[in-house]
Amino acid sequence: MESPGQQLLSPREIDTRIHRLAYEILERHPKEKFILVGIHRRGVPLAQRLAKVLEDERPGVETGMLDITLHRDDPQKATFSPDFGKTKLPHDLDGTLVILVDDVLFTGRTIRAAIDALFEYGRPSKIELAVLVDRGCREVPIQPDYCGLRQTIGRESYLRVRLREQDGHDGLFLVDNKHQAP
Amino acid sequence: MNGRKDLLDIESLSVEEINYLLETAGPFKNLIRQSVKKMPPLRGRHVLTLFYEPSTRTRSSFEIAAKRLSADVTNFTVSTSSVVKGESIIDTIDTLQAMQVDYIIVRHGAAGVPNLIAKHTRASVINAGDGHHAHPTQGLLDAFTIKEVLGPLTGRRIAIIGDIQHSRVARSTSMILRKLGAQVGVFGPGPLIPEDRHPDMQSFRTFDEVFDWQPEVIYLLRIQTERQKEQFFPSLHEYHRLYGVTDERLNYIRGKGIYIMHPGPVNRGVELVDGVMTYERTLINLQVENGIAARMAVLYWLQPETGSQRE
């Protein structure tokens, strides 16, 4: 039985934050077309939820998914994941505005790898970043354009994100002891 | 799943490791089929192919796999190297070690040479065929190919036909298939069927007996005329009549929907008739394509002890 840890966001709050993210994106791009690309694993359902929120304003907004395993800066440490190689984009990205979506922004290395991976599929006109939580502790100069929650959390702690599509329920929890993770 | 330093044979791989490699090969194949022809994980790494025996296909396959992973590749060509000047294998390895290569892909006529090289270098060594001993990446690509068309291998029947005794392909492929739960039967000229094979491996006396066993895949081995100093069968014509896929047998195979495999290059009119090459269940070209993906999975998995280990 996993210890739940301290709740930072309730299911309802997660929903609110996702709505807010969606509208911030819309506000910045009232006319321009864009594609929401979720990073495996939990960026994928997040991107789909953002698209769903935008369904009324932007019917048929495009989504994609990105696996970054081959672009990590520590490739030999990568373990096999069922998402390995599961990159799916509706078309090549030449001239496209891409909004990368992930659950937690931490060191920034994942995003660095994701940007690298995106360029395999063309030359986007622009790449932006939307995250549910920015927990600080960056190791590369990358900042989010859209952020649901900003809270600095030390390296010794672990953030547990739960999304109903993958975990059966929503929630954001702080687990003090890293060893209880994930 | 932590990688090993070397891949020398199928025997030393666990079922878990085999499954990891097969599961990684799939995504690599999909990526190649999509627009992505090149991926970065081996950027800055150096792969050396060291072939003491001629081979175009296997060497090219490794070379393409390494390049798709962004490695640099050097081909050490034996005929133009110091080997002809009598340099020993260990001396060659010392030279290569000094060149700071990270992976050495080796083929040699004598069994055990890759193991010897692996012991003397920090680079990862991949056995690309050593004598009659092993050809592990062939085994992996064959298992991957059969799995792709048939699904899980448990209980599947694969008949291997030809010179089982002297074939490293037969050894590696039958071993991986049996490790994954398949049944393997063998058929070929009497002196070429090993007496000391695993007792689970059934042998047949005629092609009809092979058919009666109802295999789902028939795997034809290449008759290696260049390696055949002793005569184990009267003539190639005779071989074809007794052990080859003739037009008549192809009709039966087509009727039953049996898949045909061959490690290539084929001797038309010996192991098989021309018609096999256009038969819709011939997997020979698929084997070539899958060979690249399987070798990418191996290169991606191995962990050389050279240079700085990035954390």
Side-chain angles (χ1 to χ4, degrees):
Chain A
M1 180 71 193
E2 65 178 29
S3 75
Q6 178 200 341
Q7 180 174 288
L8 296 181
L9 291 177
S10 68
R12 199 191 157 80
E13 284 166 327
I14 285 188
D15 212 43
T16 313
R17 306 280 166 152
I18 291 173
H19 271 77
R20 196 180 298 162
L21 281 175
Y23 282 97
E24 280 174 26
I25 293 170
L26 207 57
E27 222 170 279
R28 200 184 291 190
H29 304 290
K31 293 210 176 68
E32 210 174 339
K33 266 187 77 172
F34 53 80
I35 166 172
L36 296 162
V37 176
I39 301 171
H40 281 296
R41 298 187 60 206
R42 291 190 178 79
V44 173
L46 273 179
Q48 279 152 2
R49 277 204 217 176
L50 286 170
K52 207 168 169 211
V53 175
L54 294 170
E55 189 59 40
D56 288 339
E57 311 275 346
R58 282 294 185 89
V61 60
E62 290 181 308
T63 60
M65 54 177 84
L66 193 66
D67 169 55
I68 58 128
T69 312
L70 290 170
H71 295 268
R72 291 170 58 126
D73 52 20
D74 55 349
Q76 304 295 344
K77 297 277 179 281
T79 51
F80 182 77
S81 97
D83 306 312
F84 181 69
K86 283 195 185 149
T87 292
K88 228 180 229 166
L89 298 166
H91 49 75
D92 78 42
L93 301 175
D94 285 339
T96 310
L97 166 59
V98 176
I99 298 173
L100 273 174
V101 182
D102 206 0
D103 54 350
V104 179
L105 179 58
F106 183 26
T107 62
R109 286 177 192 269
T110 300
I111 306 303
R112 200 252 355 126
I115 293 169
D116 200 18
L118 279 181
F119 279 92
E120 301 276 355
Y121 298 88
R123 182 177 185 275
S125 62
K126 192 176 182 192
I127 302 174
E128 293 180 345
L129 173 62
V131 296
L132 185 60
V133 194
D134 175 0
R135 60 170 289 183
C137 303
R138 217 76 80 236
E139 291 169 4
V140 287
I142 279 172
Q143 304 305 332
D145 299 278
Y146 314 95
C147 178
L149 173 70
R150 211 176 296 269
Q151 186 164 340
T152 305
I153 293 163
R155 285 167 188 284
E156 66 288 351
S157 302
Y158 178 78
L159 263 186
R160 180 179 287 144
V161 180
R162 290 293 176 257
L163 293 173
R164 59 175 181 266
E165 292 88 341
Q166 287 171 359
D167 313 295
H169 63 99
D170 281 2
L172 177 67
F173 304 93
L174 176 64
V175 184
D176 282 331
N177 184 351
K178 210 175 172 176
H179 301 291
Q180 291 173 8
Chain B
M1 171 75 56
N2 285 327
R4 287 164 176 263
K5 177 176 161 288
D6 309 300
L7 176 66
L8 301 173
D9 51 39
I10 292 292
E11 198 167 4
S12 51
L13 293 180
S14 68
V15 171
E16 197 190 3
E17 288 172 316
I18 291 168
N19 281 326
Y20 170 86
L21 288 167
L22 299 181
E23 277 168 35
T24 322
F28 277 126
K29 180 174 175 176
N30 293 336
L31 285 166
I32 297 165
R33 286 202 160 178
Q34 288 172 22
S35 58
V36 185
K37 297 289 181 212
K38 216 166 173 175
M39 303 143 224
L42 262 60
R43 193 183 284 154
R45 299 283 190 163
H46 209 126
V47 174
L48 184 112
T49 66
L50 177 62
F51 276 52
Y52 291 87
E53 270 189 354
S55 154
T56 316
R57 295 168 170 241
T58 305
R59 185 197 282 247
S60 308
S61 178
F62 270 112
E63 191 172 342
I64 292 168
K67 285 182 172 168
R68 293 239 162 101
L69 294 171
S70 304
D72 295 310
V73 182
T74 302
N75 292 318
F76 196 88
T77 310
V78 175
S79 57
T80 59
S81 80
S82 317
V83 170
V84 291
K85 299 175 202 156
E87 186 182 82
S88 79
I89 287 171
I90 297 300
D91 292 340
T92 308
I93 296 318
D94 286 344
T95 310
L96 301 176
Q97 178 90 333
M99 290 175 183
Q100 310 282 334
V101 299
D102 302 292
Y103 301 83
I104 299 173
I105 294 158
V106 59
R107 167 169 290 190
H108 198 283
V113 168
N115 302 58
L116 177 71
I117 295 173
K119 252 183 233 160
H120 287 87
T121 174
R122 290 189 298 273
S124 282
V125 174
I126 301 174
N127 180 1
D130 61 333
H132 303 155
H133 173 228
H135 192 357
T137 58
Q138 181 75 42
L140 283 163
L141 79 88
D142 288 337
F144 179 74
T145 303
I146 298 174
K147 217 175 160 184
E148 201 174 45
V149 294
L150 292 180
L153 295 180
T154 320
R156 302 295 186 178
R157 289 185 173 181
I158 294 106
I160 303 181
I161 298 177
D163 180 354
I164 312 291
Q165 179 75 42
H166 301 108
S167 170
R168 56 196 175 208
V169 174
R171 192 148 293 135
S172 286
T173 296
S174 65
M175 186 162 305
I176 195 169
L177 295 178
R178 290 199 302 106
K179 279 195 179 204
L180 295 173
Q183 295 179 50
V184 177
V186 292
F187 173 52
L192 301 179
I193 301 299
E195 297 282 333
D196 59 346
R197 65 180 186 280
H198 194 276
D200 287 352
M201 282 166 70
Q202 211 173 324
S203 77
F204 308 102
R205 284 167 303 169
T206 64
F207 222 118
D208 286 339
E209 280 188 18
V210 175
F211 285 148
D212 289 344
W213 188 58
Q214 300 184 325
E216 287 156 288
V217 178
I218 286 181
Y219 194 111
L220 304 166
L221 297 171
R222 196 168 87 89
I223 282 302
Q224 296 181 304
T225 42
E226 69 275 14
R227 210 173 284 182
Q228 190 85 25
K229 292 190 182 107
E230 274 180 80
Q231 287 256 313
F232 291 107
F233 46 87
S235 70
L236 292 177
H237 178 77
E238 216 26 37
Y239 183 89
H240 180 64
R241 195 178 64 81
L242 292 169
Y243 311 104
V245 174
T246 57
D247 285 315
E248 193 193 347
R249 290 184 185 127
L250 180 57
N251 278 337
Y252 181 87
I253 286 167
R254 183 177 277 122
K256 295 284 179 192
I258 301 169
Y259 289 97
I260 295 185
M261 296 173 76
H262 189 296
V266 301
N267 296 309
R268 287 178 187 236
V270 183
E271 299 103 46
L272 45 81
V273 289
D274 285 349
V276 172
M277 300 311 281
T278 51
Y279 168 49
E280 60 278 11
R281 291 203 164 189
T282 296
L283 304 176
I284 300 174
N285 285 332
L286 190 62
Q287 286 173 275
V288 175
E289 185 185 355
N290 290 345
I292 294 170
R295 290 176 176 118
M296 287 174 80
V298 169
L299 283 164
Y300 180 66
W301 178 61
L302 292 179
Q303 294 196 17
E305 288 163 1
T306 51
S308 61
Q309 288 289 305
R310 286 180 292 184
E311 185 56 51

